[in-house]
Amino acid sequence: MTRDEFDLFCQSLKSTTHVIQWGNASVWKIGGKIFAVCASWGAGSHAKISFKCSDLSYAILIEQDGIIPAPYLARAKWVQVERADAMTDDDQKTYIKTAHEIISKKLTKAVQRELGFID
């Protein structure tokens, strides 16, 4: 998935906000909390996508070739897709959508209500 495709997909998710941080990283948030990042850092210039995942998904994904614990975020169960061929675009979208859901559920009830996730 290209950075533009990543941005378009994240933009389509409910109540998201976008900022550029950390030297041109595309950072997507919900309620002020990050759920996905796309940047070109480290060796190589291709886009590397990072996202929050469940404990089980984290354990499975970091065993896959081309997917690593996300730098600085691994302790919070984030992974980074290092290579474009490590995961299909559809799978990345599914995991990013799940990351969005995980983070939205961690928001306070007041923020969830404000963003339209609960009545």
Side-chain angles (χ1 to χ4, degrees):
M1 179 179 337
T2 67
R3 182 174 172 150
D4 288 342
E5 291 167 336
F6 168 83
D7 285 340
L8 282 172
F9 180 72
C10 290
Q11 182 181 13
S12 75
L13 300 173
K14 185 175 184 169
S15 300
T16 60
T17 57
H18 177 248
V19 295
I20 302 296
Q21 287 181 216
W22 308 314
N24 203 28
S26 184
V27 179
W28 286 89
K29 301 179 182 185
I30 180 167
K33 307 275 186 195
I34 302 169
F35 69 91
V37 176
C38 183
S40 300
W41 49 44
S45 60
H46 65 281
K48 296 176 184 169
I49 295 174
S50 300
F51 49 83
K52 170 76 173 151
C53 51
S54 70
D55 291 353
L56 179 59
S57 292
Y58 178 83
I60 293 168
L61 290 173
I62 62 170
E63 296 299 322
Q64 306 301 310
D65 193 32
I67 302 174
I68 64 168
Y72 309 106
L73 297 169
R75 64 182 169 79
K77 304 297 190 238
W78 278 64
V79 297
Q80 183 176 84
V81 181
E82 285 276 284
R83 292 193 336 257
D85 65 347
M87 184 182 289
T88 67
D89 288 0
D90 285 343
D91 285 345
Q92 287 183 70
K93 288 176 181 178
T94 298
Y95 279 108
I96 292 167
K97 184 176 180 186
T98 299
H100 177 268
E101 292 169 4
I102 290 169
I103 297 301
S104 69
K105 289 177 182 175
K106 291 184 175 206
L107 299 171
T108 65
K109 296 294 182 198
V111 173
Q112 287 181 24
R113 193 171 293 106
E114 178 183 324
L115 296 176
F117 287 97
I118 58 175
D119 294 328

